[in-house]
């Protein structure tokens, strides 16, 4: 099967850390499992690291390190080709830039209203939509 190319918003990673039995943990596991292929950029990794470290979230250091290591070990690093100014929240442009460079099929986010539903060939979707798309292809 052809890999499904995915970019994941920080809010999905944070929710995965905060709720071990939650939907976003499933999204993260599916994103690093074949046939999916997770893509990140240095800017995205930096944001994951910064947000997961926020004291108000109270995410244990060991869990933060495990999640970041898992993502670094499994994700494909891309270098965005050009800066974009399309998202309502300028901080979200880095995800579209990564999706653009990775030619991603999907960008998964918990905040659909800040992003266009499509960016070139990338469809911006929710966790539930992602699971419904990928789950049938798992053996």
């Amino acid at each position: 099967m052809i890999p499904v190319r995915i970019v994941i918003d920080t809010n999905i990673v944070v929710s995965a850390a905060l709720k071990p039995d939650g939907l976003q943990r499933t999204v993260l596991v599916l994103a690093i499992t074949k046939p999916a292929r997770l893509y990140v950029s240095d800017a995205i990794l930096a944001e994951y690291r910064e947000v997961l470290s926020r004291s108000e979230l109270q995410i244990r250091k060991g869990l933060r390190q495990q999640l970041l290591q898992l993502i670094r070990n499994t994700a494909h690093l891309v270098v965005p080709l050009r800066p974009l100014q399309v998202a309502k929240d300028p901080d979200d442009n880095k995800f579209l830039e990564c999706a653009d460079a990775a030619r991603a099929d999907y960008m998964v986010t918990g905040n659909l209203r800040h992003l266009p539903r499509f960016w070139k060939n990338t469809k911006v979707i929710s966790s539930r939509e992602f699971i419904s798309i990928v789950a049938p292809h798992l053996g």
Side-chain angles (χ1 to χ4, degrees):
M1 171 168 197
I2 299 169
V4 178
R5 297 166 168 261
I6 298 156
V7 174
I8 292 182
D9 198 346
T10 306
N11 55 48
I12 302 293
V13 176
V14 169
S15 293
L18 293 172
K19 300 177 199 152
D21 299 330
L23 198 58
Q24 283 71 18
R25 178 76 58 102
T26 304
V27 167
L28 186 57
V29 169
L30 290 175
I32 60 172
T33 307
K34 288 181 181 179
R37 188 177 285 171
L38 178 62
Y39 287 86
V40 294
S41 64
D42 284 332
I44 289 173
L45 286 173
E47 181 170 301
Y48 287 173
R49 192 176 321 104
E50 187 271 317
V51 175
L52 287 169
S53 298
R54 290 182 182 165
S55 58
E56 66 269 21
L57 294 176
Q58 298 182 335
I59 299 170
R60 286 186 354 267
K61 185 178 180 185
L63 177 59
R64 282 196 318 260
Q65 290 173 331
Q66 280 181 320
L67 274 173
L68 290 168
Q69 192 64 46
L70 178 68
I71 291 167
R72 275 195 300 271
N73 289 346
T74 56
H76 299 262
L77 187 65
V78 295
V79 177
L81 307 172
R82 61 191 172 97
L84 298 173
Q85 300 295 320
V86 259
K88 289 179 184 164
D89 179 350
D91 286 342
D92 288 336
N93 284 314
K94 70 176 69 68
F95 298 98
L96 296 174
E97 291 164 2
C98 180
D100 195 18
R103 297 185 327 274
D105 300 300
Y106 301 104
M107 191 206 139
V108 186
T109 183
N111 197 354
L112 292 169
R113 67 183 179 276
H114 283 179
L115 295 151
R117 283 303 272 180
F118 284 93
W119 175 251
K120 296 188 177 180
N121 295 327
T122 303
K123 185 175 183 186
V124 179
I125 60 174
S126 69
S127 296
R128 287 193 193 288
E129 288 174 287
F130 175 68
I131 289 170
S132 71
I133 290 163
V134 175
H137 301 286
L138 300 174

PDB file of all heavy atoms in Angstrom, residues 44-67:
ATOM      1  N   ILE A  44       8.567  22.613  13.599  1.00  0.00           N
ATOM      2  CA  ILE A  44       7.514  21.834  14.253  1.00  0.00           C
ATOM      3  C   ILE A  44       8.080  21.104  15.467  1.00  0.00           C
ATOM      4  O   ILE A  44       7.479  21.120  16.549  1.00  0.00           O
ATOM      5  CB  ILE A  44       6.846  20.858  13.267  1.00  0.00           C
ATOM      6  CG1 ILE A  44       5.993  21.642  12.266  1.00  0.00           C
ATOM      7  CG2 ILE A  44       6.010  19.813  14.014  1.00  0.00           C
ATOM      8  CD1 ILE A  44       5.404  20.812  11.145  1.00  0.00           C
ATOM      9  N   LEU A  45       9.239  20.486  15.329  1.00  0.00           N
ATOM     10  CA  LEU A  45       9.856  19.800  16.469  1.00  0.00           C
ATOM     11  C   LEU A  45      10.120  20.779  17.610  1.00  0.00           C
ATOM     12  O   LEU A  45       9.888  20.452  18.783  1.00  0.00           O
ATOM     13  CB  LEU A  45      11.158  19.114  16.049  1.00  0.00           C
ATOM     14  CG  LEU A  45      11.006  17.849  15.214  1.00  0.00           C
ATOM     15  CD1 LEU A  45      12.375  17.374  14.721  1.00  0.00           C
ATOM     16  CD2 LEU A  45      10.305  16.741  15.991  1.00  0.00           C
ATOM     17  N   ALA A  46      10.573  21.981  17.282  1.00  0.00           N
ATOM     18  CA  ALA A  46      10.833  23.001  18.302  1.00  0.00           C
ATOM     19  C   ALA A  46       9.531  23.390  19.009  1.00  0.00           C
ATOM     20  O   ALA A  46       9.507  23.541  20.237  1.00  0.00           O
ATOM     21  CB  ALA A  46      11.493  24.227  17.679  1.00  0.00           C
ATOM     22  N   GLU A  47       8.451  23.532  18.253  1.00  0.00           N
ATOM     23  CA  GLU A  47       7.167  23.881  18.875  1.00  0.00           C
ATOM     24  C   GLU A  47       6.661  22.736  19.747  1.00  0.00           C
ATOM     25  O   GLU A  47       6.182  22.976  20.853  1.00  0.00           O
ATOM     26  CB  GLU A  47       6.120  24.253  17.827  1.00  0.00           C
ATOM     27  CG  GLU A  47       4.792  24.632  18.484  1.00  0.00           C
ATOM     28  CD  GLU A  47       3.789  25.232  17.548  1.00  0.00           C
ATOM     29  OE1 GLU A  47       4.102  26.284  16.935  1.00  0.00           O
ATOM     30  OE2 GLU A  47       2.685  24.663  17.424  1.00  0.00           O
ATOM     31  N   TYR A  48       6.749  21.494  19.262  1.00  0.00           N
ATOM     32  CA  TYR A  48       6.352  20.350  20.093  1.00  0.00           C
ATOM     33  C   TYR A  48       7.098  20.410  21.426  1.00  0.00           C
ATOM     34  O   TYR A  48       6.514  20.281  22.494  1.00  0.00           O
ATOM     35  CB  TYR A  48       6.710  19.015  19.418  1.00  0.00           C
ATOM     36  CG  TYR A  48       5.883  18.584  18.232  1.00  0.00           C
ATOM     37  CD1 TYR A  48       6.276  17.461  17.507  1.00  0.00           C
ATOM     38  CD2 TYR A  48       4.724  19.239  17.826  1.00  0.00           C
ATOM     39  CE1 TYR A  48       5.551  17.003  16.417  1.00  0.00           C
ATOM     40  CE2 TYR A  48       3.994  18.790  16.726  1.00  0.00           C
ATOM     41  CZ  TYR A  48       4.415  17.680  16.032  1.00  0.00           C
ATOM     42  OH  TYR A  48       3.700  17.215  14.953  1.00  0.00           O
ATOM     43  N   ARG A  49       8.434  20.582  21.353  1.00  0.00           N
ATOM     44  CA  ARG A  49       9.280  20.593  22.552  1.00  0.00           C
ATOM     45  C   ARG A  49       8.871  21.729  23.495  1.00  0.00           C
ATOM     46  O   ARG A  49       8.706  21.525  24.692  1.00  0.00           O
ATOM     47  CB  ARG A  49      10.749  20.739  22.138  1.00  0.00           C
ATOM     48  CG  ARG A  49      11.752  20.492  23.238  1.00  0.00           C
ATOM     49  CD  ARG A  49      13.216  20.544  22.759  1.00  0.00           C
ATOM     50  NE  ARG A  49      13.453  19.942  21.449  1.00  0.00           N
ATOM     51  CZ  ARG A  49      13.649  20.602  20.300  1.00  0.00           C
ATOM     52  NH1 ARG A  49      13.672  21.877  20.247  1.00  0.00           N
ATOM     53  NH2 ARG A  49      13.845  19.983  19.165  1.00  0.00           N
ATOM     54  N   GLU A  50       8.682  22.927  22.937  1.00  0.00           N
ATOM     55  CA  GLU A  50       8.351  24.098  23.758  1.00  0.00           C
ATOM     56  C   GLU A  50       6.991  23.941  24.439  1.00  0.00           C
ATOM     57  O   GLU A  50       6.859  24.163  25.639  1.00  0.00           O
ATOM     58  CB  GLU A  50       8.382  25.357  22.867  1.00  0.00           C
ATOM     59  CG  GLU A  50       8.230  26.662  23.626  1.00  0.00           C
ATOM     60  CD  GLU A  50       6.783  27.101  23.812  1.00  0.00           C
ATOM     61  OE1 GLU A  50       6.000  26.996  22.858  1.00  0.00           O
ATOM     62  OE2 GLU A  50       6.443  27.538  24.926  1.00  0.00           O
ATOM     63  N   VAL A  51       5.988  23.541  23.694  1.00  0.00           N
ATOM     64  CA  VAL A  51       4.637  23.452  24.255  1.00  0.00           C
ATOM     65  C   VAL A  51       4.538  22.305  25.267  1.00  0.00           C
ATOM     66  O   VAL A  51       3.949  22.471  26.342  1.00  0.00           O
ATOM     67  CB  VAL A  51       3.574  23.320  23.138  1.00  0.00           C
ATOM     68  CG1 VAL A  51       2.192  23.110  23.716  1.00  0.00           C
ATOM     69  CG2 VAL A  51       3.583  24.565  22.247  1.00  0.00           C
ATOM     70  N   LEU A  52       5.126  21.155  24.952  1.00  0.00           N
ATOM     71  CA  LEU A  52       5.088  20.036  25.898  1.00  0.00           C
ATOM     72  C   LEU A  52       5.792  20.378  27.211  1.00  0.00           C
ATOM     73  O   LEU A  52       5.484  19.792  28.250  1.00  0.00           O
ATOM     74  CB  LEU A  52       5.720  18.782  25.279  1.00  0.00           C
ATOM     75  CG  LEU A  52       4.916  18.076  24.198  1.00  0.00           C
ATOM     76  CD1 LEU A  52       5.780  17.035  23.494  1.00  0.00           C
ATOM     77  CD2 LEU A  52       3.659  17.434  24.764  1.00  0.00           C
ATOM     78  N   SER A  53       6.715  21.334  27.190  1.00  0.00           N
ATOM     79  CA  SER A  53       7.475  21.718  28.381  1.00  0.00           C
ATOM     80  C   SER A  53       6.776  22.771  29.238  1.00  0.00           C
ATOM     81  O   SER A  53       7.267  23.103  30.314  1.00  0.00           O
ATOM     82  CB  SER A  53       8.848  22.262  27.980  1.00  0.00           C
ATOM     83  OG  SER A  53       9.580  21.270  27.312  1.00  0.00           O
ATOM     84  N   ARG A  54       5.667  23.305  28.786  1.00  0.00           N
ATOM     85  CA  ARG A  54       4.979  24.352  29.556  1.00  0.00           C
ATOM     86  C   ARG A  54       4.553  23.813  30.918  1.00  0.00           C
ATOM     87  O   ARG A  54       3.884  22.783  31.013  1.00  0.00           O
ATOM     88  CB  ARG A  54       3.767  24.873  28.786  1.00  0.00           C
ATOM     89  CG  ARG A  54       4.161  25.685  27.581  1.00  0.00           C
ATOM     90  CD  ARG A  54       2.968  26.234  26.857  1.00  0.00           C
ATOM     91  NE  ARG A  54       3.412  26.970  25.673  1.00  0.00           N
ATOM     92  CZ  ARG A  54       2.602  27.324  24.685  1.00  0.00           C
ATOM     93  NH1 ARG A  54       1.313  27.048  24.743  1.00  0.00           N
ATOM     94  NH2 ARG A  54       3.077  27.979  23.648  1.00  0.00           N
ATOM     95  N   SER A  55       4.923  24.543  31.960  1.00  0.00           N
ATOM     96  CA  SER A  55       4.672  24.070  33.327  1.00  0.00           C
ATOM     97  C   SER A  55       3.183  23.911  33.629  1.00  0.00           C
ATOM     98  O   SER A  55       2.799  22.996  34.366  1.00  0.00           O
ATOM     99  CB  SER A  55       5.317  25.008  34.346  1.00  0.00           C
ATOM    100  OG  SER A  55       4.815  26.320  34.191  1.00  0.00           O
ATOM    101  N   GLU A  56       2.341  24.751  33.051  1.00  0.00           N
ATOM    102  CA  GLU A  56       0.901  24.656  33.339  1.00  0.00           C
ATOM    103  C   GLU A  56       0.279  23.353  32.820  1.00  0.00           C
ATOM    104  O   GLU A  56      -0.771  22.929  33.284  1.00  0.00           O
ATOM    105  CB  GLU A  56       0.134  25.875  32.812  1.00  0.00           C
ATOM    106  CG  GLU A  56       0.090  26.033  31.302  1.00  0.00           C
ATOM    107  CD  GLU A  56       1.230  26.877  30.719  1.00  0.00           C
ATOM    108  OE1 GLU A  56       2.275  27.035  31.381  1.00  0.00           O
ATOM    109  OE2 GLU A  56       1.056  27.356  29.583  1.00  0.00           O
ATOM    110  N   LEU A  57       0.926  22.708  31.865  1.00  0.00           N
ATOM    111  CA  LEU A  57       0.400  21.435  31.355  1.00  0.00           C
ATOM    112  C   LEU A  57       0.758  20.261  32.264  1.00  0.00           C
ATOM    113  O   LEU A  57       0.111  19.217  32.204  1.00  0.00           O
ATOM    114  CB  LEU A  57       0.928  21.174  29.938  1.00  0.00           C
ATOM    115  CG  LEU A  57       0.450  22.145  28.863  1.00  0.00           C
ATOM    116  CD1 LEU A  57       1.117  21.837  27.536  1.00  0.00           C
ATOM    117  CD2 LEU A  57      -1.064  22.115  28.728  1.00  0.00           C
ATOM    118  N   GLN A  58       1.781  20.426  33.080  1.00  0.00           N
ATOM    119  CA  GLN A  58       2.203  19.396  34.036  1.00  0.00           C
ATOM    120  C   GLN A  58       2.434  18.035  33.388  1.00  0.00           C
ATOM    121  O   GLN A  58       1.985  17.010  33.893  1.00  0.00           O
ATOM    122  CB  GLN A  58       1.189  19.280  35.184  1.00  0.00           C
ATOM    123  CG  GLN A  58       1.061  20.559  35.987  1.00  0.00           C
ATOM    124  CD  GLN A  58       0.105  20.420  37.145  1.00  0.00           C
ATOM    125  OE1 GLN A  58      -0.794  19.592  37.145  1.00  0.00           O
ATOM    126  NE2 GLN A  58       0.297  21.252  38.152  1.00  0.00           N
ATOM    127  N   ILE A  59       3.129  18.038  32.267  1.00  0.00           N
ATOM    128  CA  ILE A  59       3.478  16.786  31.586  1.00  0.00           C
ATOM    129  C   ILE A  59       4.841  16.343  32.124  1.00  0.00           C
ATOM    130  O   ILE A  59       5.805  17.110  32.066  1.00  0.00           O
ATOM    131  CB  ILE A  59       3.512  16.968  30.051  1.00  0.00           C
ATOM    132  CG1 ILE A  59       2.128  17.394  29.548  1.00  0.00           C
ATOM    133  CG2 ILE A  59       3.967  15.674  29.370  1.00  0.00           C
ATOM    134  CD1 ILE A  59       2.105  17.839  28.099  1.00  0.00           C
ATOM    135  N   ARG A  60       4.874  15.143  32.669  1.00  0.00           N
ATOM    136  CA  ARG A  60       6.121  14.623  33.243  1.00  0.00           C
ATOM    137  C   ARG A  60       7.271  14.686  32.236  1.00  0.00           C
ATOM    138  O   ARG A  60       7.092  14.397  31.057  1.00  0.00           O
ATOM    139  CB  ARG A  60       5.941  13.172  33.688  1.00  0.00           C
ATOM    140  CG  ARG A  60       5.136  12.985  34.939  1.00  0.00           C
ATOM    141  CD  ARG A  60       5.109  11.516  35.415  1.00  0.00           C
ATOM    142  NE  ARG A  60       5.725  10.529  34.531  1.00  0.00           N
ATOM    143  CZ  ARG A  60       5.060   9.827  33.598  1.00  0.00           C
ATOM    144  NH1 ARG A  60       3.786   9.987  33.423  1.00  0.00           N
ATOM    145  NH2 ARG A  60       5.699   8.944  32.854  1.00  0.00           N
ATOM    146  N   LYS A  61       8.444  15.026  32.737  1.00  0.00           N
ATOM    147  CA  LYS A  61       9.625  15.148  31.880  1.00  0.00           C
ATOM    148  C   LYS A  61       9.900  13.852  31.121  1.00  0.00           C
ATOM    149  O   LYS A  61      10.200  13.864  29.935  1.00  0.00           O
ATOM    150  CB  LYS A  61      10.843  15.539  32.722  1.00  0.00           C
ATOM    151  CG  LYS A  61      12.075  15.797  31.905  1.00  0.00           C
ATOM    152  CD  LYS A  61      13.243  16.230  32.777  1.00  0.00           C
ATOM    153  CE  LYS A  61      14.463  16.466  31.904  1.00  0.00           C
ATOM    154  NZ  LYS A  61      15.646  16.777  32.704  1.00  0.00           N
ATOM    155  N   GLY A  62       9.791  12.717  31.802  1.00  0.00           N
ATOM    156  CA  GLY A  62      10.038  11.428  31.159  1.00  0.00           C
ATOM    157  C   GLY A  62       9.084  11.174  29.998  1.00  0.00           C
ATOM    158  O   GLY A  62       9.504  10.697  28.939  1.00  0.00           O
ATOM    159  N   LEU A  63       7.817  11.505  30.174  1.00  0.00           N
ATOM    160  CA  LEU A  63       6.818  11.316  29.114  1.00  0.00           C
ATOM    161  C   LEU A  63       7.112  12.258  27.948  1.00  0.00           C
ATOM    162  O   LEU A  63       7.056  11.858  26.781  1.00  0.00           O
ATOM    163  CB  LEU A  63       5.403  11.547  29.656  1.00  0.00           C
ATOM    164  CG  LEU A  63       4.271  11.461  28.640  1.00  0.00           C
ATOM    165  CD1 LEU A  63       4.245  10.093  27.956  1.00  0.00           C
ATOM    166  CD2 LEU A  63       2.932  11.743  29.315  1.00  0.00           C
ATOM    167  N   ARG A  64       7.445  13.508  28.263  1.00  0.00           N
ATOM    168  CA  ARG A  64       7.806  14.477  27.205  1.00  0.00           C
ATOM    169  C   ARG A  64       8.962  13.951  26.373  1.00  0.00           C
ATOM    170  O   ARG A  64       8.916  13.968  25.149  1.00  0.00           O
ATOM    171  CB  ARG A  64       8.248  15.814  27.826  1.00  0.00           C
ATOM    172  CG  ARG A  64       7.162  16.683  28.307  1.00  0.00           C
ATOM    173  CD  ARG A  64       7.644  18.106  28.536  1.00  0.00           C
ATOM    174  NE  ARG A  64       8.925  18.268  29.169  1.00  0.00           N
ATOM    175  CZ  ARG A  64       9.107  18.540  30.457  1.00  0.00           C
ATOM    176  NH1 ARG A  64       8.079  18.666  31.256  1.00  0.00           N
ATOM    177  NH2 ARG A  64      10.321  18.711  30.941  1.00  0.00           N
ATOM    178  N   GLN A  65      10.000  13.493  27.066  1.00  0.00           N
ATOM    179  CA  GLN A  65      11.183  12.994  26.362  1.00  0.00           C
ATOM    180  C   GLN A  65      10.855  11.767  25.518  1.00  0.00           C
ATOM    181  O   GLN A  65      11.332  11.644  24.393  1.00  0.00           O
ATOM    182  CB  GLN A  65      12.300  12.682  27.365  1.00  0.00           C
ATOM    183  CG  GLN A  65      12.882  13.932  27.982  1.00  0.00           C
ATOM    184  CD  GLN A  65      13.879  13.639  29.097  1.00  0.00           C
ATOM    185  OE1 GLN A  65      13.792  12.636  29.779  1.00  0.00           O
ATOM    186  NE2 GLN A  65      14.828  14.547  29.278  1.00  0.00           N
ATOM    187  N   GLN A  66      10.029  10.869  26.058  1.00  0.00           N
ATOM    188  CA  GLN A  66       9.632   9.665  25.302  1.00  0.00           C
ATOM    189  C   GLN A  66       8.879  10.046  24.032  1.00  0.00           C
ATOM    190  O   GLN A  66       9.157   9.508  22.956  1.00  0.00           O
ATOM    191  CB  GLN A  66       8.736   8.760  26.150  1.00  0.00           C
ATOM    192  CG  GLN A  66       9.462   7.905  27.134  1.00  0.00           C
ATOM    193  CD  GLN A  66       8.468   7.028  27.906  1.00  0.00           C
ATOM    194  OE1 GLN A  66       7.385   7.464  28.285  1.00  0.00           O
ATOM    195  NE2 GLN A  66       8.844   5.786  28.120  1.00  0.00           N
ATOM    196  N   LEU A  67       7.917  10.938  24.167  1.00  0.00           N
ATOM    197  CA  LEU A  67       7.123  11.352  23.000  1.00  0.00           C
ATOM    198  C   LEU A  67       8.006  12.012  21.944  1.00  0.00           C
ATOM    199  O   LEU A  67       7.915  11.684  20.759  1.00  0.00           O
ATOM    200  CB  LEU A  67       6.026  12.330  23.420  1.00  0.00           C
ATOM    201  CG  LEU A  67       4.722  11.732  23.908  1.00  0.00           C
ATOM    202  CD1 LEU A  67       3.809  12.826  24.449  1.00  0.00           C
ATOM    203  CD2 LEU A  67       4.029  10.957  22.820  1.00  0.00           C
TER     204      LEU A  67
END
